Amino acid sequence: MRRLVLSGDEMTGTVAGAISDEPVLASNALAEVTPNFIVINNPERQSYTILPISRLTAIELIQKPYPGLLVIASGLFVLAAGASCSKEGDGAAIPMGLLGVFLLILYFASRRGSVTFLLTSGAAETVTGGVREAADLVALVESARRSRPGEVAAQLSGPQLR
């Protein structure tokens, strides 16, 4: 099982030192999920944000598509169909169809997803990436949250003596 590795510059706090021994349950381009923490990589700030899973109150997934590209692409497909059926189309169907395909590919490539983590303190942390990455991160954190309460209850109860 892979372990979380942070470099010496990033090991300034005791929390970072404590979680460096935790196994990584799963990771993607947005964050790494351990049994107790979410470690978010902030490349623009060149830092990490560490969120305890026990302090999460809610997780929100926000998908941001650009429907204008899809509308323009469908309009170009209609114009291409009209030009191909017309006697005076003069070969305009192929360029319009190719431009419509390009805009359709651009629509799917430009969709973004944001995950907002709400904490019990009222703070919120947002991480942005692709739609699939964001959905995968939400699923990873939810599975870590579901597995956590049973472990905590088992640790609190301890062995039963009769």
Side-chain angles (χ1 to χ4, degrees):
M1 181 164 284
R2 204 172 127 233
R3 299 246 180 229
L4 185 63
V5 178
L6 300 173
S7 69
D9 294 338
E10 297 151 355
M11 287 282 220
T12 55
T14 53
V15 174
I19 70 164
S20 65
D21 291 334
E22 291 219 5
V24 174
L25 298 176
S27 66
N28 65 11
L30 302 178
E32 293 185 352
V33 179
T34 69
N36 299 308
F37 298 99
I38 304 164
V39 181
I40 300 171
N41 184 13
N42 302 319
E44 63 273 356
R45 292 185 287 189
Q46 297 180 352
S47 64
Y48 290 93
T49 302
I50 301 169
L51 302 175
I53 290 178
S54 61
R55 300 288 184 194
L56 285 179
T57 58
I59 303 169
E60 296 176 359
L61 174 63
I62 301 166
Q63 296 180 4
K64 183 179 179 186
Y66 296 101
L69 293 173
L70 193 60
V71 170
I72 294 170
S74 63
L76 284 171
F77 288 138
V78 169
L79 289 175
S84 69
C85 293
S86 174
K87 291 181 184 178
E88 300 173 8
D90 292 332
I94 293 174
M96 277 194 253
L98 290 176
L99 187 57
V101 168
F102 172 73
L103 289 177
L104 190 64
I105 291 170
L106 190 62
Y107 167 76
F108 285 109
S110 66
R111 293 183 308 158
R112 306 302 291 165
S114 297
V115 180
T116 302
F117 299 102
L118 301 173
L119 302 173
T120 55
S121 64
E125 181 68 30
T126 302
V127 62
T128 304
V131 173
R132 181 173 291 167
E133 294 169 339
D136 289 344
L137 180 60
V138 169
L140 292 173
V141 172
E142 287 296 335
S143 68
R145 285 176 76 181
R146 277 191 300 271
S147 67
R148 197 168 152 63
E151 294 173 4
V152 172
Q155 290 172 357
L156 291 177
S157 64
Q160 298 292 326
L161 298 175
R162 293 183 187 223

